[in-house]
Amino acid sequence: MTAMNTTTPTPSPASHFDAAARDWDQRPTSQQLAAVAPRLLAQLPLSPTDQVLDFGAGTGLLATQIAPLVAQVTALDTSAAMLEVLQAKGHANITTHCGDVFAGLPGRYHAIVSCMALHHVADTAALLRAFADALHPGGRIALVDLYLEDGSFHGDNAAKGVQHLGFAPEALGALAQQAGLADIHFSHIVQLQQRNGRSYPLFLMTGRKP
């Protein structure tokens, strides 16, 4: 007789985000992150003819703010439920793409943006190379994430698919340069207050493809 397995499996990162999608925009963290888009756009030159990729787009924190300024935004995420919430917002020039960035991107872009998605990807160097390969010459990146922290920001890191406890700018900037990006610059963009009573700074990393 086979013994019954009484161990509760750890939820996958995809199931975590799918389950949270419906109420994602109402979370206190999401509401604080609403400040990111205007501050990011202040440092990202865009043209009405541009094609933009939003990596880890979720429910469209960045994509919905960028869409009125450009020709097309491709919203890439691994959570179909998150992208369904974004689609329901009805932006005609936002195309959603559910898939893995390493399976290939559906186009080339004048800009690639991201907010709080880098730390979910194990191979940061490969991710930055994929971004560089997908950019037109002169194309730009504008990526927002956590400065290096002690693991307390998310709490349950495994269930939420956390691969990095934030980033040290010097190390991340070196990886970006190795990927072929230039003019790498870091700036503080917002401070997030978490339920544990602590405040965590986020950076904006910008750069361009020569």
Side-chain angles (χ1 to χ4, degrees):
M1 182 175 178
T2 304
M4 183 178 292
N5 183 357
T6 58
T7 302
T8 302
T10 300
S12 71
S15 66
H16 163 73
F17 288 108
D18 285 347
R22 185 178 298 275
D23 300 317
W24 192 258
D25 291 350
Q26 284 71 53
R27 298 181 321 141
T29 299
S30 296
Q31 292 175 354
Q32 292 177 74
L33 286 171
V36 165
R39 296 175 187 180
L40 180 150
L41 288 168
Q43 298 193 49
L44 179 66
L46 290 172
S47 161
T49 58
D50 280 351
Q51 303 278 337
V52 178
L53 174 71
D54 183 359
F55 171 73
T59 59
L61 172 79
L62 293 179
T64 55
Q65 300 303 305
I66 291 171
L69 307 175
V70 300
Q72 187 76 29
V73 179
T74 298
L76 175 68
D77 205 284
T78 56
S79 169
M82 286 281 198
L83 294 177
E84 286 173 8
V85 173
L86 172 52
Q87 285 177 316
K89 295 178 180 178
H91 292 262
N93 67 331
I94 296 179
T95 301
T96 58
H97 183 79
C98 187
D100 187 331
V101 63
F102 298 120
L105 293 169
R108 298 189 76 197
Y109 308 96
H110 301 94
I112 296 176
V113 302
S114 180
C115 182
M116 296 294 281
L118 297 187
H119 63 259
H120 291 288
V121 179
D123 194 339
T124 308
L127 178 64
L128 292 170
R129 288 195 299 271
F131 287 170
D133 289 346
L135 283 171
H136 291 294
R140 296 179 179 272
I141 57 165
L143 312 175
V144 174
D145 216 295
L146 285 158
Y147 285 100
L148 199 61
E149 50 100 13
D150 61 4
S152 60
F153 179 85
H154 288 91
D156 190 352
N157 291 302
K160 296 175 181 177
V162 175
Q163 301 291 329
H164 304 276
L165 303 179
F167 299 92
E170 299 81 5
L172 186 61
L175 291 179
Q177 290 178 328
Q178 291 166 19
L181 298 167
D183 297 338
I184 306 301
H185 177 72
F186 285 84
S187 59
H188 172 81
I189 191 166
V190 75
Q191 199 88 7
L192 292 186
Q193 189 71 32
Q194 289 293 78
R195 287 181 296 179
N196 62 11
R198 294 177 58 182
S199 184
Y200 299 82
L202 306 190
F203 63 79
L204 168 65
M205 179 174 79
T206 55
R208 67 176 181 85
K209 181 176 181 176

